[in-house]
Each structure stands twice: as structure tokens, then as C-alpha cells.
DNA sequence: CGAATGTATATCGAATCGATACACCTCGCG
DNA sequence: CGCGAGGTGTATCGATTCGATATACATTCG
């Protein structure tokens, strides 16, 4: 998981640990802890997927190797299976432009069916909570409704991505500079 | 963390493991794994915070003890410190009705300042990403913007909670039955 | 100058995850 | 009737991740 993300970042350019942490946070989905990060870097190094070299001062610049490239590609290309984590999808998405068009759509569509399932169960919970005789108090009701709305927002966002995917490659219609 | 949530659920009534898992998921913020749940139950049992008794079939019904009650109260009443997790807040919220009014507001206000900080940094990231010469591709931009909007939605939701909090206790205005 | 803050790597123990095993129960269907 | 599929329930394993903390150098600023 984390390994996947690290490899993706290192493809663009070598980075040192701290910078990887920052980049991950900027993508908006993971403020990884040092206790995860540094062991992961050692893991990947031992595996030969990345290589460390001395950088400025205390820094260690990590670069991806050919093996690492291969590993990353296999992770990115792999069919998204049923047990794919939310986070796994987000990582995939962050590097989606590296996939050919038709595979991108597949990734998005697959995600959509998952989110649809989440949405259904969240809605069921809310409906049940509202009708039940033993109503949860307002705080819990608020929690449930908020969870539901978050998923609805996810869904709308995803649909937007899928729609814009269809529009790509047909007529990019770039603004005249 | 998990211990906190388990205690809160057991206050209402005894439950067995599987049921705790289900209840947690229904609150919409945690689908805890068995690998977390059962060790946690043993932990709490050893500590004397809960007590197991035989239930129907394979079930083991867990009930909270006086010690457990005390532990839960201290966790719930504790000042929310700076390092409070998102999840910790959600758990607190799920049991917030057990706190007196003025403390409830404090919990919510405290949360608000945290979310405000998150929002600011998420917005900064998006603004920077849009203006930078090295623009991230559309997928990453979409990720960042989605992250930002999620936090905005969180904020709006929280403000709603705070507002409704002010309206409580003043004039409950209950419907005539 | 010196204190505070930011950058950077590192490690520890504990919490949590994801997968899997196993046993029992119920239900529908051939 | 019997038996297979799917749901219920407890349990454990190894690996991952977290949160806290230590250390140390660099930069900024009163």
C-alpha cells in the first residue's frame, strides 16, 4: 500500500523521506507517520526496488530502480479486485495518467460499483435509524447522516470523473493561448 | 480508542463481539476488524472493565463493570487535547449526550478549531497546485479538490451541530404528544 | 547571542488490519 | 429428506501502520 505510493512518487523524481511524507499529505489522503515511512523505505531498498544515495546534509535521496518500475507497473495494472481498499483506489487515481485510456475507465467504473454498495448500506442504516422505535439520539443520527452524505459526495465526484473521462481524447478543446 | 468505543456501547446493554462490530459499523465510522476486536475485549476483561458471561450458543455476552464505567467516564470527560484523532472525536460525539450541556459545546468548539486548520491547509494546497507552473495532472487535482471539499462539508456539518446545540436547553419546544 | 521553529532521520511498543480457520445454524431447493 | 450455500460467531496470525519520542542540525528573529 504505502510501498505502492512511494514507488509512484519516486518515478517522477528522486525524493528523500521527509519529502515523500509531504507529497503524500499534499495529495490529500494520507499523512503517513514516520513509523510507517522509514521501515517502508528500508523494505523497498532491501527488495531492490529503490536505491538510496547521499543527498544534501542529512538527507538520503531515494531513486527508483528498474525492478521498482516493474513492481509499480504490475501494481498499477493489476485488476482491481473486490478487496481493494479506499486508499488503494486513491493511490491508483493519483497515478492513473500512466494507464492507457480504456484501463482508466475500468478502474473508475470498478470503484463506482463499490461506492454504490457503500451508499446503499449507509442509506439503509439511516432509514432504519429514523423509523426504528428505539431512535438513536441526535448526535448519532447526525453521525450516520453525515457518513451517508459523505458517500453521496464521493459518488457525485466519481461520476464527474467518469464523465470527464469520456470527454477526453475526443475533443480536448484547449483554450487558445 | 477502540476500548473507548466498546465501553460506550456496553453501557447501554451487554453485547457480544459480533454485535459490537455491527454497531460500530452502523455508527458509520468504523468497520473494525476481528483482529482488533477480540484482543480489545480480552484487554478490557483482563483490566476488569468488562465481564464475560455465557450467552446463546457460541456467544459470549460482555457487560460493563463499575470499573469500566469509571474508565469510560474519565475518557469521555477528559479535556480533548491537541492530539485528538478524528476517530476519537467521532466516538466522543456518539456518546456526547452523556455529557452536561456546557461540556458538549466545548467538545464541538474544540473540534471546530481543528477542522478549521485542516481546511486552511487543504485550501492552500489547492491554490498552490492551481497556480504552480508544474501543475499536477487532472487526477491529482481532482483528488486535492475532493479532499478540500470533504473538509468543507465537515465544517458545515459541524457548524450545524454547534448551532443546534445553542438552541437546546433554551426552548426545547417539544411537540405536544 | 540564544530561543523557537522547521527540517530530517530514526526507533519503539502498541493498535489495527486483512486474511484465514473453524464451527455451528438456518434456509431453500433438488 | 439431505445437503450445500450463506450467514453467524469466535479466534489467531503476521504484517502494517500509528503515535510518541529521541536526536541533531539549520534558519529565523527578537
Amino acid at each position: 500500500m504505502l510501498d505502492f505510493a512511494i514507488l509512484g512518487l519516486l518515478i517522477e523524481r528522486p525524493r528523500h523521506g521527509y519529502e515523500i511524507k509531504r507529497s503524500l499529505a499534499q495529495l490529500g489522503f494520507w499523512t503517513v507517520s514516520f513509523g510507517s515511512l522509514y521501515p517502508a523505505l528500508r523494505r523497498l531498498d532491501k527488495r531492490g526496488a529503490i536505491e538510496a544515495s547521499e543527498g544534501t546534509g542529512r538527507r538520503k535521496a531515494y531513486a527508483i530502480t528498474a525492478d521498482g518500475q516493474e513492481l509499480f507497473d504490475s501494481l498499477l495494472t493489476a485488476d482491481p479486485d473486490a478487496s481493494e481498499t479506499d486508499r488503494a483506489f486513491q493511490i491508483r487515481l493519483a497515478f492513473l495518467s500512466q494507464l492507457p485510456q480504456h484501463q482508466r475507465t475500468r478502474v473508475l467504473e470498478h470503484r463506482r460499483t463499490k461506492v454504490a454498495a457503500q451508499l446503499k448500506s449507509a442509506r439503509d442504516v439511516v432509514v432504519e435509524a429514523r423509523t426504528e422505535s428505539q431512535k438513536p439520539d441526535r448526535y448519532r443520527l447526525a453521525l450516520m447522516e453525515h457518513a451517508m452524505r459523505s458517500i453521496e459526495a464521493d459518488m457525485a465526484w466519481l461520476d464527474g470523473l467518469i464523465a470527464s473521462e469520456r470527454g477526453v481524447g475526443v475533443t480536448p478543446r484547449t483554450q487558445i493561448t
Side-chain angles (χ1 to χ4, degrees), chain A residues 68-86:
Chain A
Q69 263 285 354
E70 208 175 319
L71 177 56
F72 177 77
D73 288 347
S74 72
L75 287 170
L76 184 61
T77 314
D79 271 342
D81 71 325
S83 71
E84 189 178 61
T85 296
D86 286 10

Side-chain angles (χ1 to χ4, degrees), chain A residues 59-129:
Chain A
R59 294 182 190 175
K60 287 184 196 168
Y62 291 94
I64 195 165
T65 64
D67 271 17
Q69 263 285 354
E70 208 175 319
L71 177 56
F72 177 77
D73 288 347
S74 72
L75 287 170
L76 184 61
T77 314
D79 271 342
D81 71 325
S83 71
E84 189 178 61
T85 296
D86 286 10
R87 198 122 77 190
F89 167 71
Q90 291 184 301
I91 297 173
R92 244 167 224 275
L93 188 59
F95 304 111
L96 203 64
S97 48
Q98 296 186 37
L99 278 183
Q101 251 270 320
H102 66 283
Q103 287 196 49
R104 295 183 198 174
T105 309
R106 267 175 46 75
V107 169
L108 294 174
E109 296 284 5
H110 185 271
R111 175 68 182 170
R112 196 184 191 286
T113 66
K114 279 211 96 173
V115 175
Q118 285 177 17
L119 184 53
K120 177 167 173 16
S121 89
R123 278 182 173 153
D124 285 352
V125 166
V126 168
V127 166
E128 197 198 343

